[in-house]
Amino acid sequence: MVSRLLRATERRAIVGLSGLYATRMLGLFMVLPVLALYAGELEGATPLLIGLALGGYGLTQAILQIPFGLLSDRLGRKPVIAFGMLLFLAGSLVAASAESIALVILGRCLQGSGAVAAAIMALLADQTREEVRTAAMASIGLSIGVAFAVAMVLGPWLAAAFGLGAIFWVTAALSLVGLVVLWGLVPRAPQRRHRDVGLDRAQLRSVLGRADLLRLDFSIFALHLLLMALFVAIPLRLLDAGLAVEHHGWVYLGIMGLAFVGMVPLVIIAEKRRRMKTMFLLAVAGLGLCSLGLGLAGEGRWGLLGWLLGFFVAFNLLEATLPSMLSKLAPAGAKGTAMGVYSTGQFLGAFLGGVLGGALVQWGGLEAVFYGAALIGLLWLGVIAGMAPPPHLSSEVVALGDEPQDALDSLMERLAEVAGVEDVLVVPEERVAYLKVDRQRLDSEALARVAGKREE
């Protein structure tokens, strides 16, 4: 149904920007399952520095993603995205030609400095109407999940066939393809502000003051910290279990496929049966338990693979449901600001996870990483145990048409009186109202009347 509602320019924007986002994330993630295996050949490599190379992109990404988003408001989306892609290209070239771990770290940090995620999301919002924007944003989320799964399989195959440098050369080529897509496929769009997508500095303090949102920020921080920390050790543990490097891609292919299948019914339970908090707690407990199991599995192949599968079922479940929870909890019109803080936590987690994982391997061995991850999972469980179940609310954006200013001034109160509308923010300069609604209780006809629409 949604695809039939899309205009040609919207379809081009969604396909182009989802592909651009996916190729960028593919380049960042392809080194994850292989760097610990191959970086030992680089000059000066130590486990700590290998971990820093894994997570280094997260530091520059966390520092620069909000400034890049704000810069795109001033200079335009496409020029800022293109500049970020050129930085990503430069980082890929530095890492591809590196003969020392220091240059790989520099290359990874340069890759992360092309922090254009917020600008890409803003451009997609500029290109789409309110009624299709949620589906458009979901396509970006889907592209990230696909890119991660492909990277886990493609990275080991490329490295086994052509060496570590090949991954960065392919990443550089993908950057060039991304630039062609940006300028050749993605249409031009008017530059507008969207509070549900971009960062609004006026809302930042209120978002940072919400304990429920901070729990989710900590959760995405911890999730990516665990991912990066464990992947300093997991490739080496697979090698110890007798799985040859050239077969790691097949291992990850099977695990990622089964983990996706295992995740789907859990997402349905969380969303459709409104068991979001229960699934959240179970997933975090599962991550901690699987981390412990990976440490205790030793060199036993099937135990190792079983615990790794369990880890990725829980990981995929959280990757799918945490943004949904954030959308439910964020105040009307503040989802973009809340997502900016959330994403910053994600990238900081990736950086610190790489550093922590490398430090634990260097000073305590592989088992120290898994036991440390289990402790982090226990801490995380304590942080979220007292949270209230998130309300099952959806975001709605209503276009306001050409109503005069005096009518807009009273519109918020009238919208708030509609059954099922839980929160309202009217933004006259955007000519839209941002709503949080309970769809099971929403009186759609009353909402259409108040918003000045006519039923077809």
Side-chain angles (χ1 to χ4, degrees):
M1 172 65 87
V2 172
S3 63
R4 292 199 294 269
L5 297 174
L6 291 174
R7 296 170 178 167
T9 54
E10 291 173 330
R11 189 174 292 109
R12 285 171 56 200
I14 292 170
V15 171
L17 292 173
S18 296
L20 180 62
Y21 208 116
T23 54
R24 181 173 165 275
M25 298 310 294
L26 181 66
L28 286 172
F29 284 135
M30 273 196 294
V31 300
L32 188 60
V34 300
L35 191 60
L37 297 173
Y38 292 88
E41 304 168 4
L42 298 169
E43 178 186 343
T46 66
L48 176 59
L49 293 179
I50 291 170
L52 181 56
L54 267 181
Y57 81 93
L59 179 62
T60 48
Q61 189 99 323
I63 293 171
L64 294 174
Q65 64 140 348
I66 290 177
F68 264 66
L70 296 174
L71 196 62
S72 75
D73 291 336
R74 292 184 169 220
L75 301 182
R77 312 294 189 207
K78 282 193 174 184
V80 169
I81 294 171
F83 178 65
M85 293 301 293
L86 288 173
L87 288 173
F88 188 77
L89 172 62
S92 301
L93 293 175
V94 168
S97 56
E99 295 183 357
S100 69
I101 191 66
L103 282 179
V104 173
I105 292 170
L106 175 61
R108 290 284 283 172
C109 290
L110 270 174
Q111 284 184 322
S113 69
V116 294
I120 290 174
M121 298 294 276
L123 179 57
L124 186 59
D126 294 343
Q127 297 276 11
T128 51
R129 292 160 294 149
E130 287 82 1
E131 56 264 36
V132 299
R133 188 169 300 144
T134 298
M137 295 300 171
S139 70
I140 294 283
L142 178 62
S143 74
I144 297 171
V146 171
F148 179 78
V150 171
M152 295 298 294
V153 176
L154 186 58
W157 287 346
L158 279 173
F162 305 106
L164 180 63
I167 291 177
F168 295 111
W169 288 117
V170 169
T171 300
L174 290 173
S175 303
L176 293 175
V177 172
L179 286 169
V180 172
V181 168
L182 176 65
W183 293 107
L185 178 62
V186 178
R188 297 180 62 183
Q191 189 169 316
R192 301 180 293 234
R193 292 203 63 189
H194 307 274
R195 295 193 185 206
D196 59 336
V197 177
L199 180 79
D200 184 355
R201 283 174 286 186
Q203 296 174 315
L204 191 56
R205 179 175 294 181
S206 63
V207 166
L208 290 173
R210 289 272 301 266
D212 51 358
L213 293 177
L214 289 176
R215 282 191 175 99
L216 297 185
D217 297 334
F218 178 83
S219 294
I220 195 65
F221 167 86
L223 182 63
H224 282 260
L225 185 150
L226 289 179
L227 179 71
M228 287 295 169
L230 289 180
F231 268 91
V232 180
I234 284 172
L236 298 171
R237 182 49 61 85
L238 290 176
L239 204 61
D240 291 342
L243 293 163
V245 173
E246 58 269 23
H247 296 150
H248 285 198
W250 294 110
V251 171
Y252 292 122
L253 177 62
I255 285 175
M256 297 304 293
L258 290 172
F260 178 80
V261 172
M263 170 203 72
V264 170
L266 301 180
V267 172
I268 293 172
I269 292 171
E271 293 282 0
K272 300 298 184 183
R273 299 189 180 179
R274 300 197 169 191
R275 295 289 185 269
M276 188 71 77
K277 182 182 176 181
T278 301
M279 289 296 102
F280 187 20
L281 292 171
L282 286 175
V284 174
L287 286 178
L289 180 62
C290 289
S291 298
L292 180 62
L294 287 167
L296 296 173
E299 298 179 5
R301 179 179 301 183
W302 294 109
L304 179 64
L305 295 179
W307 289 115
L308 193 57
L309 173 61
F311 177 87
F312 273 110
V313 170
F315 177 87
N316 289 344
L317 175 61
L318 290 168
E319 278 283 279
T321 55
L322 281 174
S324 175
M325 292 174 67
L326 185 80
S327 179
K328 290 174 172 60
L329 290 171
K335 185 168 65 175
T337 304
M339 185 59 73
V341 177
Y342 173 92
S343 298
T344 300
Q346 172 183 328
F347 297 130
L348 283 175
F351 167 66
L352 291 175
V355 174
L356 178 63
L360 288 173
V361 169
Q362 184 159 321
W363 294 311
L366 297 182
E367 286 76 12
V369 177
F370 300 119
Y371 299 149
L375 288 175
I376 291 169
L378 185 61
L379 170 64
W380 183 2
L381 200 59
V383 168
I384 65 172
M387 68 178 288
H392 283 265
L393 303 179
S394 302
S395 297
E396 185 94 8
V397 183
V398 177
L400 301 180
D402 298 323
E403 286 85 351
Q405 183 65 42
D406 57 348
L408 292 179
D409 291 340
S410 63
L411 184 60
M412 183 180 299
E413 184 176 330
R414 288 183 284 128
L415 285 169
E417 293 173 352
V418 175
V421 174
E422 301 295 332
D423 192 14
V424 183
L425 177 66
V426 174
V427 185
E429 60 268 25
E430 293 183 35
R431 312 299 296 182
V432 298
Y434 296 99
L435 313 178
K436 302 301 291 289
V437 302
D438 182 342
R439 295 204 182 279
Q440 291 189 352
R441 297 178 47 246
L442 181 63
D443 187 339
S444 299
E445 293 183 2
L447 179 61
R449 286 196 301 271
V450 172
K453 296 184 178 180
R454 297 287 181 268
E455 291 296 304
E456 306 252 345

